[in-house]
Amino acid sequence: MSAPSLDHLRTFVTVHRTGSLTRAAQLLGLSQATVSAHVQAVETAVGFPVFERGRGGVTTTAKGLELVRRVAAHVDALEDAVLLPDRSADAARSVHVGGAAEILSIMVVPRIAELIEAADAPIRLTFGLAQELLDALVGGALDVVVSALPPHREGITAVPFYDEEFALVAAPVWGGRDPEQVPVVAYAENLPIVRRYWRSVFGRPPTGLRVAAVVPDLRGIRDAVRAGVGMSVLPAYVVADDLRSGALIALADPEIPPLNTLYLATRSGDAERFPGIRATAIALRRIIS
């Protein structure tokens, strides 16, 4: 039993989307007999019927729907890669930048025009976790990564360039309360940011904290805290405006706030070989400062 060809799968997906062999034939520029033959080839290859025929057209079977879910996105992507060379060429000229969604959205996106001008190329942003982004950098999918972790990887050049300051904040309604009596809005169940802050500022791990909510996005945490749900530890750049306006207050005032160093990572040698990548890295250092 041979696997169905891309042409056969493309026909199968088009018939599913249109609900009609005739309409699919029109869209694909094929005869209805050819469309029927493609569908039959798919059914022979997978070993089950993918459509039920009726007077009003065709209905995708349950197994056919499962097949659509598995293959449709891949068929579309292959078509785009083959049939849209201009998009591929444009992507090849782009500079791909990765980083945490929060810092790129808050600090970079409002000034993305500066990146475009510096690189003299389109900019493509990718949000994600540090390890995933560094994997993508090593694999060539990204050109520059703003990493919250020191990237100890072969073939990667990284320089520390920004120290995130963290603040313990809450809405004014919680002012004057012992922080350990205030509910927590956490990034994750194990309170990674809160625990690091507690050890750094108070010299001990937090005990007895009650988690009111877990929100895996720093901007979402800020909004929940601002609404009075509880307290949290957030980077200063996330809450600076709220602290100035009084929408949030600091529940602690350490002499030296906890810091987390960010690194700017590129593949070794790329900044020298590709002026757009070098210019983007320089512009990022200027913007995130």
Side-chain angles (χ1 to χ4, degrees):
M1 182 185 300
S2 60
S5 71
L6 175 60
D7 283 342
H8 295 168
L9 289 173
R10 178 172 176 250
T11 300
F12 159 63
V13 171
T14 304
V15 173
H16 162 74
R17 288 171 173 168
T18 61
S20 165
L21 297 173
T22 302
R23 180 61 180 149
Q26 293 170 345
L27 289 175
L28 296 171
L30 301 173
S31 68
Q32 188 168 335
T34 300
V35 169
S36 296
H38 285 188
V39 170
Q40 185 175 359
V42 170
E43 292 181 327
T44 299
V46 299
F48 53 80
V50 294
F51 297 118
E52 294 177 354
R53 280 73 171 175
R55 289 184 179 180
V58 298
T59 303
T60 310
T61 65
K63 287 187 175 181
L65 283 172
E66 183 59 33
L67 182 61
V68 168
R69 295 189 188 101
R70 293 202 306 268
V71 306
H74 300 290
V75 170
D76 291 341
L78 287 169
E79 278 198 345
D80 287 348
V82 172
L83 300 178
L84 301 177
D86 289 341
R87 282 179 54 188
S88 298
D90 182 62
R93 290 186 286 105
S94 302
V95 178
H96 294 258
V97 178
E102 297 87 355
I103 193 164
L104 292 187
S105 295
I106 293 172
M107 300 187 75
V108 175
V109 169
R111 298 175 63 179
I112 197 168
E114 297 178 37
L115 285 188
I116 298 169
E117 182 179 1
D120 192 26
I123 298 295
R124 302 288 187 263
L125 298 183
T126 297
F127 300 155
L129 300 176
Q131 295 290 5
E132 298 169 353
L133 296 170
L134 292 171
D135 288 343
L137 179 63
V138 171
L142 295 175
D143 300 307
V144 185
V145 168
V146 178
S147 175
L149 298 175
H152 302 305
R153 306 239 186 151
E154 186 176 353
I156 296 298
T157 298
V159 292
F161 78 109
Y162 180 69
D163 287 328
E164 291 181 301
E165 291 186 8
F166 285 84
L168 179 63
V169 296
V173 68
W174 297 105
R177 299 281 292 271
D178 179 350
E180 294 197 342
Q181 301 304 312
V182 180
V184 177
V185 182
Y187 188 84
E189 289 288 353
N190 62 345
L191 313 182
I193 302 175
V194 174
R195 289 183 182 279
R196 187 164 64 243
Y197 183 95
W198 238 257
R199 289 191 180 94
S200 176
V201 173
F202 302 121
R204 55 182 172 80
T207 56
L209 293 182
R210 179 171 65 85
V211 178
V214 173
V215 182
D217 183 287
L218 299 181
R219 294 160 299 177
I221 293 175
R222 174 198 60 200
D223 293 345
V225 171
R226 195 163 49 194
V229 174
M231 67 175 182
S232 195
V233 175
L234 291 167
Y237 68 83
V238 175
V239 295
D241 290 342
D242 294 302
L243 288 171
R244 280 192 292 267
S245 70
L248 293 175
I249 60 172
L251 296 184
D253 185 23
E255 184 176 347
I256 301 176
L259 302 175
N260 182 58
T261 300
L262 296 181
Y263 297 82
L264 203 59
T266 58
R267 284 182 300 279
S268 300
D270 273 9
E272 289 71 31
R273 289 193 296 270
F274 303 106
I277 293 177
R278 181 175 184 275
T280 300
I282 292 172
L284 281 169
R285 294 181 71 172
R286 181 179 68 249
I287 291 170
I288 304 177
S289 60

